[in-house]
Amino acid sequence: MTTSEITTGNDRPHTGGTHLIDTFDSPQLAPPAGRYSHIATHRGVAYISGQLPVTPDGARLAGEPFEVQAQQVLSNLDACLATAGTSRERLMSVTVHVTDIGDWPAFDRLYQDWLGANRPARAVAGAHELHYGSAVEAHAIAALV
């Protein structure tokens, strides 16, 4: 792949049938803290980077209760989906990492309320440690509208 096949910026994703990969960030979230984009799109699919419990102004919620962290992660996923021009209803897969598998039932309840009747593919993985001392992180794949 040549550099001319990859674009970056905050424009709406390219949803045509070409081979372009578009990468961009959600203006509703704090800028990425590393060498990645919030979202990459290709051939009608949006790939959402791992979302941590970080508020739009950059505050890290690692010291907050698990449910507060989980709700922020889901809100961040919403922001990325909206920026990509898609929605929860178009989710194909969600992967969730938790540092305490005992928190999974609490996440599952919030996740069920967040998704409603939608049932995308899903995986949960226990993680020894997440960035900033967070208790939960999630990334997703969604079809573009």
Side-chain angles (χ1 to χ4, degrees):
M1 177 173 299
T2 66
T3 350
S4 63
E5 294 174 311
I6 301 172
T7 61
T8 59
N10 282 324
D11 297 329
R12 282 213 41 145
H14 180 79
T15 56
T18 68
H19 298 349
L20 290 177
I21 296 172
D22 292 323
T23 60
F24 48 101
D25 300 321
S26 174
Q28 300 170 21
L29 298 177
R35 181 89 177 118
Y36 68 94
S37 298
H38 289 142
I39 307 150
T41 61
H42 179 63
R43 293 191 175 196
V45 178
Y47 301 86
I48 311 295
S49 292
Q51 296 300 305
L52 292 164
V54 176
T55 65
D57 65 359
R60 300 171 186 165
L61 302 181
E64 297 295 326
F66 178 83
E67 289 80 1
V68 171
Q69 292 187 51
Q71 192 60 57
Q72 186 63 56
V73 165
L74 296 173
S75 293
N76 292 353
L77 286 175
D78 273 337
C80 289
L81 291 166
T83 299
T86 191
S87 66
R88 298 175 199 167
E89 293 76 24
R90 308 283 293 178
L91 281 167
M92 296 187 294
S93 178
V94 178
T95 301
V96 182
H97 303 273
V98 292
T99 56
D100 180 350
I101 204 69
D103 286 328
W104 180 246
F107 184 87
D108 197 45
R109 283 189 300 277
L110 290 169
Y111 181 79
Q112 182 177 349
D113 290 343
W114 181 71
L115 275 179
N118 301 324
R119 296 176 64 95
R122 179 183 77 181
V124 61
H128 173 69
E129 185 176 20
L130 294 170
H131 203 51
Y132 306 131
S134 301
V136 60
E137 179 176 5
H139 61 93
I141 301 170
L144 295 172
V145 182

